[in-house]
Structure formats: structure tokens, C-alpha cells
């Protein structure tokens, strides 16, 4: 609510008056302590007291771009939009030079072209010193007429873009403004008159009737001299305005060329950064593809080694299993081999003899099949699937 424009305020140059100050600078002003503490609730009457307390001009300063009180009060005037009479009184105030400068700055932002030239050009005669704060926070000494010349000839002042105005000679040609008359012209005319009076002129003394006729009108020589003097002064001022406009156009053209070169250099740096970023991305993608290929090759070699190891272990297991099966078969074949395959005399006769000895021993010690212990034992062996005892 405190930052809104007065509902009764009129639009300036087709927009909100506060929009004449750039958005970034305007947000800096809204966040400043001076705006919150000193500019809150100000009216056109109470704003004069704050303007009388000003001791310097300037825009923003410092690393965080703090606004000066001069710029805060200018934005406050754009917000409340005081009457034109109040602004004119600000400009005509000769006691407080910063009040005059503040009114001139506000009129340059909001006034018409005719009002700007009408009320600001007389301030060229104010040579009082004023302090101006630079962007680094240091102060510099300037004058009121220099500040007015900056408002009339430059496009930027106090970190604020000034509205464009027409050239003075265009307004003079259209009849909107009268030719500018310098305050020094009266002094020049007085000096010329003094010089002419010092030079003695030898002329015949006219008669009484001629004296009376000369009293009523000036001589043609004086009229021609006055006409030449006026034409000379007019040509002098027109040449001076033309030189000023030409210097302004040249400075403006240089500024535009400088801005164009700066934009071209910025575009070149942006293209260079974009190419560098693209090359970095290409290198990164190339390294990533190389790493992916290396990982793929390592994975394939690992899978190949794992398959070779697995096949080697399988063949080893197969050999071991075959070896075990062979040993088992040999062992089994050795255990189930017939005694016929052995030697004819010795090995075949030995088992027969042993068998005969066992039969002889068995015949002497043969158990009784009706013995209860033998019967129980045979039942137990039958339950276990074994042959009964003989």
C-alpha cells in the first residue's frame, strides 16, 4: 500500500509515473531504510521539509547499489504527483539549492518540452556549488548550471533514463519557443554603447527644426546598427545552439556506437562460451563413450574368463568323476572277479583247501537248528533281510 501511486495521479508519457524510474532502481528504493522511515506518509506540504534537509544529489552507490535520499524524494514526488505550481515554486526557490535541483529533476521527468525549456533554461545563471555522490560512494563537486545542462543534453541522469525531448531549434522553427536570450547580452550591449560614446563624432550641428525632427525618431545609422547587433546576437545564439545540438548528436552517436560495440563484444563472448561449452560436452561424451567401450570390453573379458573357468572346472569335475567311476569299476571288478581267472595251480587250490578245512570244522561244531537262541537270531536276521544261520 505504501508503494502504490496516488489514485488521483495522472499518467505521464502514457504510463504510471513511478514507471519512469527503472524497476531495479525502484525496488532498491522500496527496500532502503530512508524510504521506509523518512518517506512514509509524506504529502506535498511535508515533502518540502525533507527536501530542505538534502545535502547532496546522486543516484545509487556502493556494491549493493543503495539509493540516495535525493532519488528517494524524486520517486516520492512521482508517487504523490504534486501540483505544477508547487514544482514551479521548488524551481524558483533561491534559498535552498537542493530544493531547486529536485524540482528541476522532477519537471524534466514529467513536464512537457515547452515547460522544460521555459523553466530550466533560466537556471543556467545559477552558479552555486552542489555535491554529487558517485557510484563508488565518493563525492564530487559540481554546479547547478552543470546539473541543468546534464538534464537538457543527456539521456541519463542520477541512474534514471530521461524522456527524450526535441531540439530547441526545432521548437523555435515551429514557433513554440522564442529565441533564447542570454543574460549576458545586456552587459555586451552596455559595453558596446560605452565604446561608441567614447569615440567622438564630428557632425554638423543641425538647425532647430532638424533637431526637433531628430528628437522624434532615431537616425538610420543607429537603426542599422541596432538591427545588425540584433542579427549578430541571434546568429551567435543560433550557432551556439547548433554547436550544442551537434555535440549532443555526436555524443549520442558515439554512445550508440559504444553500446553497439559492447553488444557485439557480448555476443562474441556468448558465442565463444557456447562453443567452449559445446566442445566440453563433446569431450565429455567422447570420454563417456570411451569409458563405456572399455567397461564393455572388460565385462566381455570377465564373462569370457568366467566361462573358461567354469568350463575348466566342469572338465576337472568330469575328469575327477570319471576317475572315481573308473576306480570304483576296477575295485568292483577286482572284488567280483572269478577265481578261475587266476593261476591254475596255486590260487585255485588254496580256496578249495580252506573251504574243506571250514567244512570239517563246521561238521564238528554244527549248531542245533532247534536251539531257541538260533531261532531268535534267525528271526532278527529275517527282519533285517539277512540269510538265516546255517
Amino acid at each position: 500500500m505504501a508503494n502504490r501511486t496516488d489514485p488521483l495521479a495522472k499518467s505521464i508519457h502514457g504510463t504510471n509515473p513511478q514507471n519512469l524510474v527503472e524497476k531495479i532502481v525502484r525496488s532498491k528504493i522500496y527496500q532502503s531504510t530512508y524510504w521506509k522511515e523518512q518517506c512514509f506518509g509524506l504529502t506535498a506540504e511535508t515533502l518540502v521539509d525533507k527536501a530542505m534537509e538534502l545535502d547532496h544529489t546522486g543516484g545509487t552507490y556502493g556494491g549493493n547499489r543503495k539509493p540516495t535520499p535525493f532519488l528517494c524524494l524524486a520517486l516520492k514526488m512521482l508517487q504523490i504527483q504534486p501540483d505544477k505550481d508547487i514544482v514551479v515554486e521548488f524551481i524558483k526557490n533561491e534559498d535552498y539549492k537542493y530544493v531547486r535541483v529536485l524540482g528541476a529533476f522532477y519537471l524534466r521527468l514529467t513536464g512537457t518540452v515547452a515547460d522544460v525549456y521555459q523553466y530550466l533554461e533560466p537556471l543556467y545563471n545559477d552558479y552555486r556549488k552542489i555535491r554529487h555522490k558517485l557510484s563508488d560512494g565518493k563525492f564530487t563537486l559540481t554546479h547547478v548550471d552543470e546539473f541543468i545542462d546534464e538534464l537538457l543534453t543527456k539521456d541519463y541522469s542520477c541512474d534514471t533514463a530521461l524522456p527524450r525531448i526535441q531540439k530547441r531549434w526545432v521548437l523555435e522553427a515551429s514557433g513554440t519557443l522564442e529565441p533564447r536570450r542570454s543574460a549576458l547580452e545586456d552587459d555586451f550591449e552596455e559595453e558596446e554603447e560605452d565604446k561608441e560614446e567614447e569615440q567622438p563624432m564630428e557632425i554638423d550641428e543641425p538647425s532647430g527644426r532638424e533637431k526637433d525632427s531628430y528628437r522624434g525618431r532615431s537616425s538610420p545609422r543607429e537603426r542599422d546598427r541596432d538591427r545588425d547587433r540584433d542579427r549578430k546576437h541571434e546568429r551567435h545564439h543560433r550557432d551556439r545552439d547548433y554547436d550544442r545540438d551537434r555535440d549532443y548528436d555526436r555524443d549520442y552517436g558515439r554512445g550508440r556506437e559504444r553500446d553497439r560495440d559492447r553488444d557485439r563484444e557480448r555476443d562474441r563472448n556468448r558465442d565463444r562460451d557456447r562453443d567452449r561449452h559445446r566442445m566440453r560436452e563433446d569431450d565429455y561424451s567422447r570420454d563417456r563413450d570411451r569409458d563405456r567401450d572399455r567397461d564393455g570390453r572388460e565385462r566381455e573379458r570377465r564373462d569370457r574368463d568366467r566361462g573358461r573357468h567354469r568350463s575348466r572346472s566342469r572338465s576337472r569335475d568330469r575328469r575327477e568323476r570319471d576317475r572315481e567311476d573308473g576306480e570304483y569299476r576296477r575295485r568292483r571288478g577286482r572284488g567280483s572277479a572269478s577265481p578261475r581267472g587266476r593261476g591254475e595251480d596255486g590260487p585255485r587250490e588254496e580256496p578249495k583247501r580252506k573251504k574243506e578245512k571250514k567244512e570239517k570244522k563246521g561238521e564238528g561244531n554244527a549248531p542245533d537248528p532247534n536251539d531257541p537262541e538260533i531261532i531268535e537270531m534267525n528271526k532278527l536276521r529275517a527282519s533285517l533281510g539277512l540269510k538265516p544261520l546255517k
Side-chain angles (χ1 to χ4, degrees), residues 55-70:
D55 58 354
H56 65 276
T57 63
T60 56
Y61 64 94
N64 53 358
R65 313 308 298 168
K66 292 182 180 179
T68 57
F70 177 84

Side-chain angles (χ1 to χ4, degrees), residues 146-244:
E146 295 179 1
F147 187 81
I148 298 301
D149 186 70
E150 179 181 352
L151 294 179
L152 292 177
T153 58
K154 304 295 182 182
D155 292 335
Y156 217 72
S157 179
C158 297
D159 292 332
T160 305
L162 302 176
R164 296 295 302 273
I165 57 176
Q166 295 176 343
K167 308 295 183 184
R168 179 169 177 70
W169 62 270
V170 176
L171 299 177
E172 291 179 359
S174 62
T176 306
L177 291 179
E178 297 180 357
R180 181 170 176 267
R181 182 178 178 83
S182 175
L184 302 177
E185 291 183 3
D186 297 335
D187 299 336
F188 290 151
E189 292 178 357
E190 291 178 359
E191 290 180 0
E192 290 180 357
E193 291 178 357
D194 295 339
K195 290 180 181 179
E196 291 176 355
E197 290 178 357
E198 290 176 0
Q199 295 177 358
M201 297 180 62
E202 296 180 357
I203 56 174
D204 297 335
E205 185 175 353
S207 61
R209 185 177 301 175
E210 291 178 354
K211 286 183 180 179
D212 295 338
S213 62
Y214 281 130
R215 285 174 188 169
R217 57 185 179 85
S218 59
S219 62
R221 184 181 301 172
E222 292 179 357
R223 286 198 301 271
D224 295 339
R225 190 184 302 117
D226 294 337
R227 193 179 301 107
D228 294 339
R229 189 187 307 117
D230 295 339
R231 192 179 298 109
K232 187 188 302 181
H233 287 313
E234 184 178 356
R235 189 183 307 108
H236 172 69
H237 291 300
R238 188 181 299 108
D239 294 340
R240 186 172 56 184
D241 294 337
Y242 177 75
D243 294 338
R244 183 185 302 166

Side-chain angles (χ1 to χ4, degrees), residues 57 70 97-98 100-101 104 120 123-133 140-151 157-158:
T57 63
F70 177 84
K97 51 189 175 183
Y98 292 103
R100 167 175 281 189
V101 171
L120 296 191
L123 301 184
Y124 275 125
N125 301 325
D126 193 345
Y127 308 113
R128 288 180 292 182
K129 299 178 181 179
I130 56 176
R131 292 198 309 167
H132 183 77
K133 180 171 282 191
T140 183
L141 192 64
T142 183
H143 301 80
V144 177
D145 59 331
E146 295 179 1
F147 187 81
I148 298 301
D149 186 70
E150 179 181 352
L151 294 179
S157 179
C158 297

Side-chain angles (χ1 to χ4, degrees), residues 277-292:
H277 182 68
R278 189 181 300 110
M279 293 174 61
R280 193 180 299 115
E281 286 184 352
D282 295 340
D283 295 339
Y284 175 72
S285 61
R286 196 180 303 110
D287 295 339
R288 184 174 54 193
D289 296 339
R290 192 183 302 112
D291 295 339
R292 191 182 296 112

Side-chain angles (χ1 to χ4, degrees), residues 345-356:
D345 297 334
R348 289 181 181 176
E349 292 179 356
E350 288 180 1
K352 288 182 179 180
R353 292 173 184 175
K354 290 180 181 180
K355 191 174 181 180
E356 289 176 355

